[in-house]
Amino acid sequence: MKKKNVKSFSTRWGFILASVGSAVGMANVWGFPNKMGSNGGGAFLLIYILFVLIFSYVGLPAEFAMGRRAATGTLGAYENAWATRGKGAGKTGAVLGWLPLAGSLCIAIGYAVIVTYVLKALVDSVAGTLMTADAAAWFSDFSSRDFSVIPYHIIVVAGTLLTLFLGAHSIEKTNRIMMPVFFLIFVVLVVRVAFLPGAAEGYKFMFTPRWEMLCDPMIWIWAMGQAFFSLSVTGSGMIVYGAYLSKEEDVVGVAQHTALFDTIAAVVAALVIIPACFSYGLDVGAGPSLLFVTLPTILQDIPLGRLFAIILYVAMIFAGVSSLQNMFEAVAESL
């Protein structure tokens, strides 16, 4: 009996969904609406889409190609790439490969804490306590208290590691479920938010560019950084997924599909958060409190708010875990 190869994705769409899972995360659900709200709305969206188009032709395919050629993780891929310039250069590349790998690990450590907070919000939404508490006081209490979310943190990290148990096949199977459900949930939320009074002002802010803001270099910098982060172009995680990619696949084609679905996820998340903030007169650039203070405040006030809170935080758990999979896998595969 032929042994199943857990070191590769079984289908093209399995690979794309896993890559979309890596790209879709807090960068989309929270980061994109936050950056868009702080940097001119429609003008930021135009610049962001421009950079996503560029990176879907250059940065992302390059990482997929590097990983596939080396058929290994970050350290081996860097060594392999630099070795084309000579044996000594290969050793230098292996050392330099530790930089993006360490970056992925550091991001994963902080990212796991954010996903832990989301799990805490989900549990309290199910219990109903988040729907009656003062959201600001609730968030301040557990986020400033030492060791308050340790049990949730263990669940997030251990649960994510379990999804990596069978390598590429585990990642593929979990994302085949998580990503379609994520998109479905957010479409439901988009429809619900559309019926809020004043939501139209949010849509106008998102899709009506203020052309003078295109002259602000900081908006270009923020949009470029958001595109890098959102697509997981870090010199690490997508290289590992590329190592699991079939030799027959077109790396540019799968990169473009990944970028397309990632951008749809970002815009859909913004269609939930920004119109809701406009409806309630809240700050769309509120930072981390957007997820844990602003949104709960809105959800407390709408009919079936508890149900929609549960739906929202389940979707965010899926987004967070799918991104953590990529960060953890990058470290595990390289080591």
Side-chain angles (χ1 to χ4, degrees), residues 8-32:
S8 63
F9 293 101
S10 60
T11 65
R12 182 173 194 259
W13 276 105
F15 174 81
I16 290 172
L17 285 173
S19 298
V20 171
S22 169
V24 172
M26 296 303 116
N28 298 80
V29 178
W30 160 64
F32 180 79

PDB file of all heavy atoms in Angstrom, residues 8-32:
ATOM      1  N   SER A   8       2.851  17.354   1.005  1.00  0.00           N
ATOM      2  CA  SER A   8       2.361  18.142  -0.116  1.00  0.00           C
ATOM      3  C   SER A   8       0.849  18.263  -0.035  1.00  0.00           C
ATOM      4  O   SER A   8       0.178  17.417   0.566  1.00  0.00           O
ATOM      5  CB  SER A   8       2.769  17.500  -1.445  1.00  0.00           C
ATOM      6  OG  SER A   8       2.172  16.231  -1.578  1.00  0.00           O
ATOM      7  N   PHE A   9       0.331  19.329  -0.642  1.00  0.00           N
ATOM      8  CA  PHE A   9      -1.114  19.500  -0.711  1.00  0.00           C
ATOM      9  C   PHE A   9      -1.661  18.608  -1.817  1.00  0.00           C
ATOM     10  O   PHE A   9      -1.030  18.438  -2.862  1.00  0.00           O
ATOM     11  CB  PHE A   9      -1.463  20.967  -0.981  1.00  0.00           C
ATOM     12  CG  PHE A   9      -1.111  21.882   0.157  1.00  0.00           C
ATOM     13  CD1 PHE A   9       0.034  22.670   0.119  1.00  0.00           C
ATOM     14  CD2 PHE A   9      -1.927  21.962   1.270  1.00  0.00           C
ATOM     15  CE1 PHE A   9       0.358  23.520   1.175  1.00  0.00           C
ATOM     16  CE2 PHE A   9      -1.612  22.809   2.334  1.00  0.00           C
ATOM     17  CZ  PHE A   9      -0.461  23.578   2.286  1.00  0.00           C
ATOM     18  N   SER A  10      -2.845  18.043  -1.592  1.00  0.00           N
ATOM     19  CA  SER A  10      -3.366  17.058  -2.531  1.00  0.00           C
ATOM     20  C   SER A  10      -3.983  17.690  -3.768  1.00  0.00           C
ATOM     21  O   SER A  10      -4.027  17.073  -4.829  1.00  0.00           O
ATOM     22  CB  SER A  10      -4.402  16.162  -1.837  1.00  0.00           C
ATOM     23  OG  SER A  10      -5.490  16.938  -1.356  1.00  0.00           O
ATOM     24  N   THR A  11      -4.486  18.924  -3.664  1.00  0.00           N
ATOM     25  CA  THR A  11      -5.122  19.581  -4.805  1.00  0.00           C
ATOM     26  C   THR A  11      -4.683  21.039  -4.884  1.00  0.00           C
ATOM     27  O   THR A  11      -4.190  21.617  -3.904  1.00  0.00           O
ATOM     28  CB  THR A  11      -6.664  19.554  -4.698  1.00  0.00           C
ATOM     29  OG1 THR A  11      -7.072  20.345  -3.562  1.00  0.00           O
ATOM     30  CG2 THR A  11      -7.181  18.125  -4.552  1.00  0.00           C
ATOM     31  N   ARG A  12      -4.902  21.618  -6.056  1.00  0.00           N
ATOM     32  CA  ARG A  12      -4.572  23.028  -6.265  1.00  0.00           C
ATOM     33  C   ARG A  12      -5.406  23.915  -5.344  1.00  0.00           C
ATOM     34  O   ARG A  12      -4.882  24.843  -4.719  1.00  0.00           O
ATOM     35  CB  ARG A  12      -4.841  23.390  -7.727  1.00  0.00           C
ATOM     36  CG  ARG A  12      -4.485  24.825  -8.100  1.00  0.00           C
ATOM     37  CD  ARG A  12      -4.624  25.001  -9.608  1.00  0.00           C
ATOM     38  NE  ARG A  12      -3.993  26.233 -10.050  1.00  0.00           N
ATOM     39  CZ  ARG A  12      -4.656  27.351 -10.332  1.00  0.00           C
ATOM     40  NH1 ARG A  12      -5.971  27.390 -10.186  1.00  0.00           N
ATOM     41  NH2 ARG A  12      -4.021  28.429 -10.752  1.00  0.00           N
ATOM     42  N   TRP A  13      -6.717  23.624  -5.233  1.00  0.00           N
ATOM     43  CA  TRP A  13      -7.581  24.451  -4.397  1.00  0.00           C
ATOM     44  C   TRP A  13      -7.279  24.253  -2.918  1.00  0.00           C
ATOM     45  O   TRP A  13      -7.454  25.171  -2.116  1.00  0.00           O
ATOM     46  CB  TRP A  13      -9.050  24.158  -4.697  1.00  0.00           C
ATOM     47  CG  TRP A  13      -9.511  24.961  -5.872  1.00  0.00           C
ATOM     48  CD1 TRP A  13      -9.739  24.513  -7.133  1.00  0.00           C
ATOM     49  CD2 TRP A  13      -9.718  26.377  -5.919  1.00  0.00           C
ATOM     50  NE1 TRP A  13     -10.098  25.548  -7.962  1.00  0.00           N
ATOM     51  CE2 TRP A  13     -10.103  26.706  -7.247  1.00  0.00           C
ATOM     52  CE3 TRP A  13      -9.635  27.404  -4.975  1.00  0.00           C
ATOM     53  CZ2 TRP A  13     -10.395  28.007  -7.645  1.00  0.00           C
ATOM     54  CZ3 TRP A  13      -9.922  28.698  -5.368  1.00  0.00           C
ATOM     55  CH2 TRP A  13     -10.293  28.991  -6.689  1.00  0.00           C
ATOM     56  N   GLY A  14      -6.797  23.049  -2.569  1.00  0.00           N
ATOM     57  CA  GLY A  14      -6.371  22.831  -1.190  1.00  0.00           C
ATOM     58  C   GLY A  14      -5.212  23.741  -0.836  1.00  0.00           C
ATOM     59  O   GLY A  14      -5.177  24.342   0.245  1.00  0.00           O
ATOM     60  N   PHE A  15      -4.260  23.873  -1.761  1.00  0.00           N
ATOM     61  CA  PHE A  15      -3.122  24.770  -1.557  1.00  0.00           C
ATOM     62  C   PHE A  15      -3.583  26.220  -1.480  1.00  0.00           C
ATOM     63  O   PHE A  15      -3.160  26.980  -0.597  1.00  0.00           O
ATOM     64  CB  PHE A  15      -2.112  24.608  -2.694  1.00  0.00           C
ATOM     65  CG  PHE A  15      -0.984  25.593  -2.644  1.00  0.00           C
ATOM     66  CD1 PHE A  15       0.107  25.386  -1.811  1.00  0.00           C
ATOM     67  CD2 PHE A  15      -1.014  26.753  -3.411  1.00  0.00           C
ATOM     68  CE1 PHE A  15       1.138  26.322  -1.749  1.00  0.00           C
ATOM     69  CE2 PHE A  15       0.014  27.683  -3.353  1.00  0.00           C
ATOM     70  CZ  PHE A  15       1.095  27.456  -2.520  1.00  0.00           C
ATOM     71  N   ILE A  16      -4.477  26.622  -2.408  1.00  0.00           N
ATOM     72  CA  ILE A  16      -4.947  28.005  -2.429  1.00  0.00           C
ATOM     73  C   ILE A  16      -5.687  28.345  -1.140  1.00  0.00           C
ATOM     74  O   ILE A  16      -5.460  29.399  -0.533  1.00  0.00           O
ATOM     75  CB  ILE A  16      -5.847  28.256  -3.660  1.00  0.00           C
ATOM     76  CG1 ILE A  16      -5.005  28.222  -4.936  1.00  0.00           C
ATOM     77  CG2 ILE A  16      -6.570  29.600  -3.540  1.00  0.00           C
ATOM     78  CD1 ILE A  16      -5.814  28.255  -6.216  1.00  0.00           C
ATOM     79  N   LEU A  17      -6.562  27.442  -0.671  1.00  0.00           N
ATOM     80  CA  LEU A  17      -7.306  27.697   0.561  1.00  0.00           C
ATOM     81  C   LEU A  17      -6.377  27.793   1.766  1.00  0.00           C
ATOM     82  O   LEU A  17      -6.590  28.614   2.663  1.00  0.00           O
ATOM     83  CB  LEU A  17      -8.354  26.602   0.784  1.00  0.00           C
ATOM     84  CG  LEU A  17      -9.600  26.678  -0.104  1.00  0.00           C
ATOM     85  CD1 LEU A  17     -10.468  25.446   0.087  1.00  0.00           C
ATOM     86  CD2 LEU A  17     -10.401  27.948   0.182  1.00  0.00           C
ATOM     87  N   ALA A  18      -5.329  26.940   1.787  1.00  0.00           N
ATOM     88  CA  ALA A  18      -4.361  27.020   2.883  1.00  0.00           C
ATOM     89  C   ALA A  18      -3.602  28.343   2.837  1.00  0.00           C
ATOM     90  O   ALA A  18      -3.373  28.983   3.876  1.00  0.00           O
ATOM     91  CB  ALA A  18      -3.387  25.847   2.812  1.00  0.00           C
ATOM     92  N   SER A  19      -3.224  28.777   1.641  1.00  0.00           N
ATOM     93  CA  SER A  19      -2.515  30.052   1.488  1.00  0.00           C
ATOM     94  C   SER A  19      -3.427  31.221   1.843  1.00  0.00           C
ATOM     95  O   SER A  19      -3.000  32.188   2.490  1.00  0.00           O
ATOM     96  CB  SER A  19      -2.011  30.202   0.045  1.00  0.00           C
ATOM     97  OG  SER A  19      -1.103  29.181  -0.276  1.00  0.00           O
ATOM     98  N   VAL A  20      -4.690  31.143   1.426  1.00  0.00           N
ATOM     99  CA  VAL A  20      -5.670  32.176   1.801  1.00  0.00           C
ATOM    100  C   VAL A  20      -5.843  32.181   3.316  1.00  0.00           C
ATOM    101  O   VAL A  20      -5.920  33.241   3.950  1.00  0.00           O
ATOM    102  CB  VAL A  20      -7.025  31.929   1.103  1.00  0.00           C
ATOM    103  CG1 VAL A  20      -8.104  32.859   1.664  1.00  0.00           C
ATOM    104  CG2 VAL A  20      -6.889  32.144  -0.397  1.00  0.00           C
ATOM    105  N   GLY A  21      -5.879  30.980   3.924  1.00  0.00           N
ATOM    106  CA  GLY A  21      -5.992  30.882   5.379  1.00  0.00           C
ATOM    107  C   GLY A  21      -4.841  31.567   6.083  1.00  0.00           C
ATOM    108  O   GLY A  21      -5.026  32.240   7.108  1.00  0.00           O
ATOM    109  N   SER A  22      -3.628  31.402   5.523  1.00  0.00           N
ATOM    110  CA  SER A  22      -2.470  32.083   6.105  1.00  0.00           C
ATOM    111  C   SER A  22      -2.611  33.593   5.969  1.00  0.00           C
ATOM    112  O   SER A  22      -2.327  34.347   6.898  1.00  0.00           O
ATOM    113  CB  SER A  22      -1.186  31.631   5.402  1.00  0.00           C
ATOM    114  OG  SER A  22      -0.102  32.455   5.768  1.00  0.00           O
ATOM    115  N   ALA A  23      -3.063  34.028   4.781  1.00  0.00           N
ATOM    116  CA  ALA A  23      -3.164  35.466   4.523  1.00  0.00           C
ATOM    117  C   ALA A  23      -4.316  36.111   5.293  1.00  0.00           C
ATOM    118  O   ALA A  23      -4.195  37.224   5.807  1.00  0.00           O
ATOM    119  CB  ALA A  23      -3.334  35.703   3.017  1.00  0.00           C
ATOM    120  N   VAL A  24      -5.458  35.394   5.359  1.00  0.00           N
ATOM    121  CA  VAL A  24      -6.629  35.936   6.052  1.00  0.00           C
ATOM    122  C   VAL A  24      -6.457  35.775   7.554  1.00  0.00           C
ATOM    123  O   VAL A  24      -6.267  34.679   8.052  1.00  0.00           O
ATOM    124  CB  VAL A  24      -7.921  35.220   5.606  1.00  0.00           C
ATOM    125  CG1 VAL A  24      -9.101  35.643   6.471  1.00  0.00           C
ATOM    126  CG2 VAL A  24      -8.204  35.516   4.137  1.00  0.00           C
ATOM    127  N   GLY A  25      -6.496  36.852   8.261  1.00  0.00           N
ATOM    128  CA  GLY A  25      -6.338  36.796   9.720  1.00  0.00           C
ATOM    129  C   GLY A  25      -6.685  38.141  10.322  1.00  0.00           C
ATOM    130  O   GLY A  25      -7.503  38.889   9.793  1.00  0.00           O
ATOM    131  N   MET A  26      -6.040  38.451  11.445  1.00  0.00           N
ATOM    132  CA  MET A  26      -6.314  39.725  12.095  1.00  0.00           C
ATOM    133  C   MET A  26      -5.932  40.899  11.193  1.00  0.00           C
ATOM    134  O   MET A  26      -6.487  41.991  11.308  1.00  0.00           O
ATOM    135  CB  MET A  26      -5.537  39.825  13.412  1.00  0.00           C
ATOM    136  CG  MET A  26      -5.943  38.803  14.455  1.00  0.00           C
ATOM    137  SD  MET A  26      -7.685  38.864  14.886  1.00  0.00           S
ATOM    138  CE  MET A  26      -8.222  37.255  14.322  1.00  0.00           C
ATOM    139  N   ALA A  27      -4.994  40.663  10.257  1.00  0.00           N
ATOM    140  CA  ALA A  27      -4.626  41.721   9.312  1.00  0.00           C
ATOM    141  C   ALA A  27      -5.814  42.130   8.465  1.00  0.00           C
ATOM    142  O   ALA A  27      -5.925  43.281   8.041  1.00  0.00           O
ATOM    143  CB  ALA A  27      -3.482  41.247   8.408  1.00  0.00           C
ATOM    144  N   ASN A  28      -6.715  41.191   8.196  1.00  0.00           N
ATOM    145  CA  ASN A  28      -7.912  41.496   7.415  1.00  0.00           C
ATOM    146  C   ASN A  28      -9.067  41.949   8.296  1.00  0.00           C
ATOM    147  O   ASN A  28      -9.701  42.975   8.052  1.00  0.00           O
ATOM    148  CB  ASN A  28      -8.369  40.253   6.638  1.00  0.00           C
ATOM    149  CG  ASN A  28      -7.331  39.779   5.653  1.00  0.00           C
ATOM    150  OD1 ASN A  28      -6.384  39.108   6.037  1.00  0.00           O
ATOM    151  ND2 ASN A  28      -7.493  40.116   4.402  1.00  0.00           N
ATOM    152  N   VAL A  29      -9.348  41.154   9.331  1.00  0.00           N
ATOM    153  CA  VAL A  29     -10.546  41.367  10.140  1.00  0.00           C
ATOM    154  C   VAL A  29     -10.449  42.634  10.972  1.00  0.00           C
ATOM    155  O   VAL A  29     -11.431  43.355  11.147  1.00  0.00           O
ATOM    156  CB  VAL A  29     -10.795  40.144  11.044  1.00  0.00           C
ATOM    157  CG1 VAL A  29     -12.005  40.359  11.940  1.00  0.00           C
ATOM    158  CG2 VAL A  29     -10.996  38.895  10.194  1.00  0.00           C
ATOM    159  N   TRP A  30      -9.272  42.908  11.486  1.00  0.00           N
ATOM    160  CA  TRP A  30      -9.099  44.100  12.311  1.00  0.00           C
ATOM    161  C   TRP A  30      -8.158  45.114  11.655  1.00  0.00           C
ATOM    162  O   TRP A  30      -8.483  46.287  11.521  1.00  0.00           O
ATOM    163  CB  TRP A  30      -8.563  43.722  13.695  1.00  0.00           C
ATOM    164  CG  TRP A  30      -7.917  44.875  14.403  1.00  0.00           C
ATOM    165  CD1 TRP A  30      -8.535  46.021  14.807  1.00  0.00           C
ATOM    166  CD2 TRP A  30      -6.531  45.025  14.727  1.00  0.00           C
ATOM    167  NE1 TRP A  30      -7.617  46.876  15.380  1.00  0.00           N
ATOM    168  CE2 TRP A  30      -6.379  46.290  15.346  1.00  0.00           C
ATOM    169  CE3 TRP A  30      -5.413  44.215  14.573  1.00  0.00           C
ATOM    170  CZ2 TRP A  30      -5.143  46.747  15.794  1.00  0.00           C
ATOM    171  CZ3 TRP A  30      -4.181  44.668  15.016  1.00  0.00           C
ATOM    172  CH2 TRP A  30      -4.062  45.926  15.628  1.00  0.00           C
ATOM    173  N   GLY A  31      -6.989  44.642  11.176  1.00  0.00           N
ATOM    174  CA  GLY A  31      -5.969  45.554  10.672  1.00  0.00           C
ATOM    175  C   GLY A  31      -6.420  46.375   9.480  1.00  0.00           C
ATOM    176  O   GLY A  31      -6.226  47.596   9.446  1.00  0.00           O
ATOM    177  N   PHE A  32      -7.041  45.731   8.491  1.00  0.00           N
ATOM    178  CA  PHE A  32      -7.448  46.453   7.287  1.00  0.00           C
ATOM    179  C   PHE A  32      -8.513  47.519   7.568  1.00  0.00           C
ATOM    180  O   PHE A  32      -8.340  48.680   7.175  1.00  0.00           O
ATOM    181  CB  PHE A  32      -7.925  45.466   6.216  1.00  0.00           C
ATOM    182  CG  PHE A  32      -8.365  46.142   4.948  1.00  0.00           C
ATOM    183  CD1 PHE A  32      -7.431  46.585   4.029  1.00  0.00           C
ATOM    184  CD2 PHE A  32      -9.708  46.340   4.671  1.00  0.00           C
ATOM    185  CE1 PHE A  32      -7.819  47.227   2.852  1.00  0.00           C
ATOM    186  CE2 PHE A  32     -10.113  46.980   3.508  1.00  0.00           C
ATOM    187  CZ  PHE A  32      -9.166  47.421   2.597  1.00  0.00           C
TER     188      PHE A  32
END
